[in-house]
Amino acid sequence: MKYRAALIVDNLYITKWQKSALDEAAENIEIALIINCQNTKTKKNYFKHFFYYVLNFLSLKNQLTKKQKFKNADSVLVNFDSIYSGAWQSLPLDIYDSINKEKIDVIIKFGMGLLRIDDEHQQLPILSYHHGDPSSYRGRPAGFYEILNDEKTTGIIVQRLSNELDAGVILAFAESKIVNFSYKKTALNFYSNSSTLLNKAIINLFNKKYIDHSVSGKNYRLPSNLLVIKFACLMIWRIILKINYGLFFEKKWKVGVVPNQLSLRGNEVIASSLIEEVPISSSYTFYADPFFSEDNKKIRLEALDRKTGLGDILEIDVDNFLNQKLLLSGKHYSYPFSFIYEGKEFLLPEVADHSAQYICKADIAQQQISLIRGLKAKRIVDATMFFKDGIYYLFFGENDSAHTVLNLWYSDSPFGDFEAHPMSPIGISPKNARMGGKLLLSSDYLIRFGQDNSGEYGESLAVMSIISISKEIFNEEQIGTIKLENFKGPHTINFNSDMSKLLIDYYDDQFSIFAGVRRIKAKLAKS
């Protein structure tokens, strides 16, 4: 059964990201009523905020905020002029009559400004987005003060409106990566990550599931001209630093074996003195993404070819690191996840740069290709399979959003038809969404490792405890972090079968006069 929804808009316009949110929610709602406000106006103080309006035009006005007419021939249309009381708007009483007449279950607010709800109609659920984490950043503009304060992430919420600013009950929450040198890229991140939240909020609303999250953050206002000048200077400096890093510095990834001393609880640090480093062949610039083979006799990893800038998959003897065998080469490969099916070992290497995801046999990796059914149209990243109670679950990111969004699909067989889990995407946060190795199952817990890419790429791991997983349900919570002494990382971790050893990758930033050349070469090779 679909819920009957009303949509509040201004002059029948919505933005591209709002249209995407409605499309995502279409499985659970039908837009039965369009409530079209014809007199929303925004007072602008150009003398006080002129530079902010310039910044807004250059950054917040982008392809995702481009306006389009909302059309739905099956919806009842009601035009109205709102009632103003200072900065607050309210709906005329006859609009509430239309809402009741159409038997509306939920109202989605994509128009108007500050909306004050009539006292007699407080029971009406009106859902509204706020871009910002209300525990720290209420008010506006979205993302500006987070960048200024050098935050790593910004929040996105869908809340049930109250008559207090950004203080309604939260029905869906996500986090988006701050790009500290670009306001426009930061905005594109939080708008693109907004599309799936509306559907989650609607599901949570009618299941009476609310997000326990503080809404007591500071209420910010539009910045002054002087503050925007400070912001612009900060952006220019950060761009210079980024260009300098890109030209002359690169991450030197390494792989090592470590005796397992982790409790997987709390904030843990692996001592660098415990690492037994895997030597890197002269043909390669780094090793990363390490996995144990299913019999624990081999290590499989990504090796970046020094000449081509492409990733190969190598297989290395656990007892003799110098015995290194080439498995996959010629195109870009990484993240060589493996699994057992009907007594045979298969690989699920990341091939997003050149192919839809496929499965191959571990012993003849260049052959026996079988595309994952249901995902042939997608380019997926860090695909990680997990078998439980007769179901094969597939965790993955997509090429353009893997740093923030984690998807979950499932099938009765790794070679069967996969379909999206009803709660997918199951994670939207650069702090823990991207997969960082195999799931770890014991009698006491089921652990998922998520990369923390909120700051620098691959700087640490989040330890996520999966509370429940089935075809209908997925719940997890973060219970710890894993970092490495004297290095950045790990960004991938895997354990041998008796949990006595673990594999990690890690890096430090090293100066190289040829760093920029290698970056350009790698991009050209992948294009």
Side-chain angles (χ1 to χ4, degrees):
M1 181 193 79
K2 290 189 177 183
Y3 299 104
R4 291 176 64 80
L7 182 65
I8 297 176
V9 295
D10 288 325
N11 298 311
L12 291 178
Y13 280 104
I14 61 172
T15 63
K16 184 177 179 179
W17 75 262
Q18 290 170 341
K19 177 62 165 57
S20 295
L22 292 175
D23 291 342
E24 291 277 351
E27 62 184 277
N28 286 309
I29 60 170
E30 58 175 324
I31 306 299
L33 178 65
I34 301 173
I35 304 172
N36 183 43
C37 185
Q38 301 178 121
N39 70 331
T40 297
K41 55 186 180 293
T42 303
K43 292 183 179 180
K44 294 183 178 181
N45 187 332
Y46 286 102
F47 179 77
K48 185 177 180 181
H49 302 299
F50 175 77
F51 287 135
Y52 166 71
Y53 294 128
V54 173
L55 181 67
N56 178 298
F57 177 79
L58 295 174
S59 302
L60 297 184
K61 304 294 184 184
N62 53 60
Q63 61 261 41
L64 293 181
T65 57
K66 186 177 181 180
K67 292 184 177 181
Q68 54 187 276
K69 283 280 187 179
F70 180 76
K71 298 177 181 179
N72 190 339
D74 298 326
S75 305
V76 174
L77 173 63
V78 178
N79 297 310
F80 74 100
D81 286 343
S82 65
I83 302 167
Y84 269 93
S85 177
W88 290 81
Q89 294 172 271
S90 58
L91 301 172
L93 292 180
D94 61 338
I95 296 298
Y96 290 107
D97 292 337
S98 297
I99 292 169
N100 292 332
K101 180 181 177 182
E102 295 302 323
K103 298 180 180 179
I104 296 302
D105 299 305
V106 60
I107 301 171
I108 300 162
K109 178 181 173 293
F110 279 162
M112 305 179 69
L114 299 176
L115 176 60
R116 190 172 299 282
I117 306 168
D118 182 74
D119 290 339
E120 294 184 6
H121 298 90
Q122 291 282 336
Q123 79 282 2
L124 277 172
I126 303 177
L127 306 189
S128 176
Y129 275 83
H130 171 67
H131 291 98
D133 184 340
S135 67
S136 304
Y137 294 91
R138 297 164 60 221
R140 58 179 182 148
F144 177 89
Y145 290 99
E146 289 93 326
I147 295 176
L148 193 66
N149 296 335
D150 203 23
E151 302 282 4
K152 293 183 177 180
T153 63
T154 184
I156 310 162
I157 66 168
V158 178
Q159 62 185 331
R160 178 172 177 169
L161 279 187
S162 69
N163 285 332
E164 186 178 349
L165 181 64
D166 296 333
V169 173
I170 297 176
L171 294 163
F173 175 81
E175 291 177 301
S176 183
K177 184 177 176 64
I178 293 289
V179 181
N180 73 350
F181 61 87
S182 173
Y183 193 18
K184 184 169 187 175
K185 289 184 178 180
T186 296
L188 287 170
N189 280 345
F190 60 66
Y191 286 130
S192 63
N193 292 330
S194 297
S195 61
T196 62
L197 285 194
L198 179 60
N199 192 45
K200 289 182 177 292
I202 289 166
I203 292 171
N204 288 340
L205 173 69
F206 292 105
N207 287 331
K208 298 182 179 179
K209 179 181 177 181
Y210 308 115
I211 308 295
D212 184 13
H213 194 83
S214 171
V215 293
S216 58
K218 181 179 177 180
N219 187 12
Y220 286 88
R221 304 296 186 188
L222 291 186
S224 66
N225 287 325
L226 185 62
L227 193 58
V228 174
I229 292 173
K230 177 183 176 181
F231 181 92
C233 292
L234 183 62
M235 292 297 96
I236 292 170
W237 175 243
R238 287 174 177 171
I239 289 171
I240 292 171
L241 292 178
K242 180 173 176 58
I243 292 172
N244 179 71
Y245 180 90
L247 289 175
F248 302 114
F249 290 87
E250 56 190 356
K251 294 176 172 61
K252 289 295 184 181
W253 287 94
K254 302 174 183 179
V255 165
V257 179
V258 182
N260 181 22
Q261 299 179 354
L262 297 176
S263 68
L264 303 177
R265 294 291 188 277
N267 300 319
E268 299 187 276
V269 179
I270 298 172
S272 56
S273 60
L274 298 177
I275 300 173
E276 184 183 4
E277 185 179 316
V278 176
I280 300 175
S281 166
S282 60
S283 301
Y284 298 102
T285 59
F286 71 64
Y287 287 174
D289 287 351
F291 287 81
F292 282 111
S293 62
E294 296 302 309
D295 61 8
N296 298 293
K297 295 180 180 180
K298 307 289 185 181
I299 296 169
R300 299 192 185 99
L301 50 75
E302 174 196 354
L304 193 74
D305 189 284
R306 188 176 296 278
K307 293 181 179 180
T308 67
L310 298 175
D312 293 342
I313 300 299
L314 299 186
E315 189 174 73
I316 301 171
D317 282 353
V318 168
D319 296 328
N320 181 5
F321 290 162
L322 296 179
N323 190 357
Q324 303 187 4
K325 173 186 175 183
L326 182 64
L327 283 187
L328 287 166
S329 184
K331 296 180 179 178
H332 186 70
Y333 301 92
S334 60
Y335 202 80
F337 175 88
S338 65
F339 65 95
I340 293 290
Y341 180 68
E342 294 183 345
K344 297 178 181 178
E345 186 176 16
F346 293 88
L347 293 184
L348 201 62
E350 183 189 313
V351 291
D353 284 309
H354 62 273
S355 174
Q357 185 63 60
Y358 59 76
I359 299 170
C360 56
K361 288 186 177 180
D363 56 346
I364 43 174
Q366 297 278 17
Q367 302 174 28
Q368 301 294 327
I369 292 175
S370 175
L371 291 173
I372 296 229
R373 292 163 64 178
L375 290 166
K376 294 179 181 179
K378 295 181 180 292
R379 295 295 178 93
I380 71 176
V381 173
D382 296 345
T384 305
M385 198 173 290
F386 176 68
F387 178 73
K388 185 176 186 294
D389 299 331
I391 305 299
Y392 287 85
Y393 297 95
L394 189 66
F395 299 77
F396 64 90
E398 294 192 46
N399 217 13
D400 58 349
S401 59
H403 64 288
T404 301
V405 180
L406 179 63
N407 302 286
L408 178 62
W409 287 47
Y410 67 90
S411 174
D412 294 333
S413 163
F415 298 97
D417 292 316
F418 278 81
E419 59 181 288
H421 192 282
M423 297 184 70
S424 184
I426 55 172
I428 307 175
S429 173
K431 293 178 180 177
N432 53 44
R434 187 164 181 170
M435 295 300 294
K438 292 185 178 182
L439 275 69
L440 186 61
L441 176 64
S442 79
S443 57
D444 299 323
Y445 50 69
L446 175 59
I447 297 295
R448 181 183 73 81
F449 298 99
Q451 298 177 24
D452 184 353
N453 294 317
S454 57
E456 291 188 58
Y457 172 69
E459 63 182 15
S460 63
L461 287 172
V463 181
M464 311 297 293
S465 175
I466 296 178
I467 300 165
S468 55
I469 182 170
S470 70
K471 285 185 177 181
E472 296 80 27
I473 296 171
F474 182 88
N475 288 303
E476 68 176 2
E477 63 179 358
Q478 185 165 341
I479 60 172
T481 61
I482 302 173
K483 296 184 178 182
L484 184 60
E485 178 190 37
N486 299 327
F487 293 96
K488 299 289 180 65
H491 110 308
T492 309
I493 189 169
N494 285 286
F495 295 74
N496 64 351
S497 56
D498 66 4
M499 296 284 291
S500 62
K501 296 180 180 180
L502 54 90
L503 270 172
I504 57 171
D505 55 3
Y506 52 97
Y507 72 91
D508 55 7
D509 292 314
Q510 295 186 10
F511 175 82
S512 172
I513 195 70
F514 299 110
V517 174
R518 277 195 282 266
R519 281 193 171 89
I520 294 171
K521 185 187 294 185
K523 287 185 178 181
L524 291 174
K526 292 178 184 180
S527 62

